[in-house]
């Protein structure tokens, strides 16, 4: 168990500083309207669950024995230009925590976690016609020793690289995929790519037919049309059987 009194090269924040400022720091103005009876105040004023994601981050940091995030959002950071490195992680604070911690060690301040679509905006790119630039008005930046800071950026900070949780069905997947769509900077994935990679049949067919890599023997029954596959896909080790209607085709399934 780590002692809270162990020495640190940086100033130890006071208990008041250690406590994050709550939902007001994440979504200013959420306390202006009273929540109806039976509803959690954070639900009405924080529709994109930034508060919940922030609490998950604090829980993950605590479990790793790392200091809680310091809230400096009331003092905007300035002076960021197009040449400053900004590596943006969209979505889940736990899935990319090892990346954020390592990035904070190697490039202090360059790793920025965006927990909410309200923390970022898309503007037409000045360098790539038809593409978009992602600007961060708020984020959690990571530094050496696992230290993290909730910050606001004035003017908004331009992302040079973007990745995040693109998993289909994930509550964060929709807004993450939308923010990362058609950007003018490199991205670590996309919602359509993640959807295709998670399809076992498509993945095995691509590996076997296009890359000539061995795959486990695969028998796939497909119901209806699959526009993402050829009519008769030919791939070593992969056999696909189309079923127009699952009713009355038990004999075909047994035969295959």
């Amino acid at each position: 168990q780590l002692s809270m009194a162990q020495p640190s090269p940086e100033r130890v924040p006071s208990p008041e500083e250690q406590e994050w400022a709550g939902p007001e720091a994440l979504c200013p103005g959420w306390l202006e309207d009273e929540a109806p009876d039976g509803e959690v105040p954070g639900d009405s004023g924080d529709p994109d669950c930034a508060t919940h994601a922030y609490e998950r981050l604090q829980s993950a940091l605590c479990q790793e024995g790392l200091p809680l995030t310091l809230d400096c959002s009331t003092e905007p950071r300035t002076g960021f230009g197009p040449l400053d490195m900004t590596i943006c992680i969209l979505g889940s604070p736990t899935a990319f925590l090892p990346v954020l911690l390592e990035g904070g060690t190697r490039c202090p301040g360059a790793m920025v976690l965006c927990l909410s679509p309200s923390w970022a905006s898309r503007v037409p790119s000045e360098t790539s016609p038809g593409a978009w630039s992602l600007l961060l008005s708020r984020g959690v930046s990571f530094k050496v020793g696992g230290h993290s800071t909730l910050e606001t950026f004035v003017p908004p900070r331009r992302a040079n690289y973007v990745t995040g949780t693109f998993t289909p069905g994930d509550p964060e997947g929709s807004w993450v995929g939308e923010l990362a769509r058609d950007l003018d900077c490199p991205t670590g994935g996309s919602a359509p790519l993640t959807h295709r990679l998670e399809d076992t049949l498509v993945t095995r067919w691509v590996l076997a037919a296009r890359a000539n890599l061995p795959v486990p023997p695969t028998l796939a029954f497909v119901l209806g049309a699959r526009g993402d596959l050829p009519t008769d896909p030919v791939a070593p080790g992969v056999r696909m059987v189309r079923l127009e209607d699952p009713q009355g085709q038990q004999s075909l399934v047994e035969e295959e």
Side-chain angles (χ1 to χ4, degrees):
Q1 182 176 1
L2 296 178
S3 170
M4 295 298 292
Q6 63 182 354
S8 172
E10 298 186 11
R11 182 181 66 84
V12 178
S14 65
E16 291 77 15
E17 290 176 317
Q18 282 283 8
E19 290 187 6
W20 64 284
E24 176 65 19
L26 302 177
C27 294
W30 82 288
L31 290 175
E32 294 176 358
D33 300 322
E34 291 188 7
D37 293 339
E39 291 187 17
V40 179
D43 289 342
S44 61
D46 187 14
D48 48 33
C49 301
T51 303
H52 177 61
Y54 192 89
E55 291 173 344
R56 286 166 53 200
L57 173 62
Q58 303 315 300
S59 176
L61 293 173
C62 184
Q63 292 178 15
E64 295 294 331
L66 299 172
L68 299 181
T69 301
L70 189 63
D71 180 20
C72 297
S73 58
T74 57
E75 301 176 2
R77 290 283 306 277
T78 61
F80 288 103
L83 298 181
D84 290 294
M85 178 60 63
T86 301
I87 304 172
C88 176
I89 306 292
L90 300 171
S92 173
T94 54
F96 286 89
L97 185 59
V99 177
L100 291 164
L101 295 176
E102 181 66 17
T105 299
R106 295 180 177 270
C107 303
M111 300 292 296
V112 182
L113 173 64
C114 177
L115 297 175
S116 163
S118 64
W119 293 13
S121 60
R122 288 160 52 91
V123 297
S125 173
E126 297 179 355
T127 57
S128 303
W132 301 80
S133 295
L134 185 67
L135 304 181
L136 300 176
S137 59
R138 181 168 298 211
V140 179
S141 61
F142 285 76
K143 301 177 182 178
V144 178
H147 291 271
S148 57
T149 306
L150 175 64
E151 299 178 311
T152 54
F153 308 112
V154 179
R157 189 171 172 177
R158 180 178 177 272
N160 305 108
Y161 179 84
V162 176
T163 190
T165 49
F166 299 104
T167 307
D170 189 288
E172 299 159 339
S174 58
W175 68 264
V176 170
E178 180 59 28
L179 282 181
R181 179 176 53 85
D182 299 331
L183 295 181
D184 58 359
C185 67
T187 58
S190 66
L193 177 61
T194 302
H195 178 74
R196 290 183 67 86
L197 291 178
E198 289 194 347
D199 189 314
T200 304
L201 178 57
V202 171
T203 302
R204 293 188 180 183
W205 176 75
V206 170
L207 291 175
R210 300 292 182 86
N212 296 319
L213 295 176
V215 299
T218 304
L219 174 61
F221 294 94
V222 178
L223 181 62
R226 283 287 299 267
D228 54 347
L229 285 170
T231 305
D232 296 311
V234 178
V238 178
R239 175 167 175 77
M240 187 180 73
V241 179
R242 296 185 183 272
L243 301 178
E244 300 300 330
D245 185 351
Q247 302 297 328
Q249 301 197 47
Q250 184 65 26
S251 58
L252 173 61
V253 173
E254 293 177 353
E255 178 183 351
E256 292 294 340

